[in-house]
Amino acid sequence: ASVLIRDATEDDWPAIYPFFREIVAAGRTYAYPEDLSSDEARRYWMTDPPHRTIVAAEGDVVVGTAAMGPNRPGRGSHVATASFMVDPRRHNGGVGRALGNEVIDWARREGYRSIQFNAVVETNVAAVHLWQALGFEVLATVPQAFDHADHGLVGLHLMYRSLT
């Protein structure tokens, strides 16, 4: 099925939260607290402008989401950032790529000069490969900055893509 990318609404949160909770609890890609209630998690993910949250839907089923906005306020607000989650049952189906392309297109439309990902877990090989395929490069890796559930302390990549 084709994936439709659209702005998230509050009505989408009940579909997002189960895979948000599952991904965070797995301890492989996000450093969020593992015991976030639905309301607490929503405050992390469903943010107000200038941030934007989108979903990827196959028919009526939400299969992924991304949250984006300025990486920093003020003098750093010309650099975008984003975070992505794809329902683990939908990996390798093009959902992450569709979300990534929308983030790049959105950042260009909004006048951002670049996109910076602050914390891509180095063992998340699929994500690193996807971001590199979409033009991102690893600028640096902070050693042992993430406590991975399976591998212990691993690095976090700082990834960057120019939009100019």
Side-chain angles (χ1 to χ4, degrees), residues 79-104:
V79 178
T81 193
S83 298
F84 302 82
M85 288 192 180
V86 174
D87 184 326
R89 287 155 290 287
R90 303 300 177 118
H91 283 180
N92 302 313
V95 175
R97 181 176 296 274
L99 289 166
N101 282 326
E102 174 58 25
V103 166
I104 292 167

Side-chain angles (χ1 to χ4, degrees), residues 5-161:
I5 304 296
R6 60 172 173 76
D7 287 323
T9 69
E10 283 299 320
D11 291 341
D12 291 317
W13 183 248
I16 296 169
Y17 181 62
F19 64 83
F20 178 103
R21 184 181 61 234
E22 180 180 352
I23 290 166
V24 171
R28 294 182 181 98
T29 55
Y30 277 89
Y32 292 137
E34 293 178 19
D35 58 351
L36 292 174
S37 70
S38 177
D39 287 341
E40 291 167 330
R42 184 186 318 107
R43 285 192 290 275
Y44 276 104
W45 203 259
M46 303 288 283
T47 55
D48 295 324
H51 298 270
R52 179 183 181 216
T53 303
I54 59 176
V55 294
E58 292 178 349
D60 293 336
V61 179
V62 173
V63 295
T65 182
M68 65 208 79
N71 190 51
R72 295 279 180 246
R75 294 192 175 271
S77 63
H78 59 285
V79 178
T81 193
S83 298
F84 302 82
M85 288 192 180
V86 174
D87 184 326
R89 287 155 290 287
R90 303 300 177 118
H91 283 180
N92 302 313
V95 175
R97 181 176 296 274
L99 289 166
N101 282 326
E102 174 58 25
V103 166
I104 292 167
D105 292 345
W106 169 84
R108 275 200 180 105
R109 286 191 311 269
E110 293 297 311
Y112 288 96
R113 309 233 346 129
S114 60
I115 303 173
Q116 175 181 319
F117 296 156
N118 300 309
V120 180
V121 178
E122 69 181 345
T123 56
N124 189 352
V125 177
V128 173
H129 176 76
L130 173 59
W131 304 140
Q132 288 174 326
L134 291 178
F136 288 81
E137 62 181 302
V138 175
L139 294 182
T141 303
V142 181
Q144 300 183 351
F146 183 78
D147 190 4
H148 193 284
D150 301 322
H151 303 294
L153 297 177
V154 299
L156 286 176
H157 291 322
L158 173 67
M159 297 189 78
Y160 168 85
R161 185 189 195 284

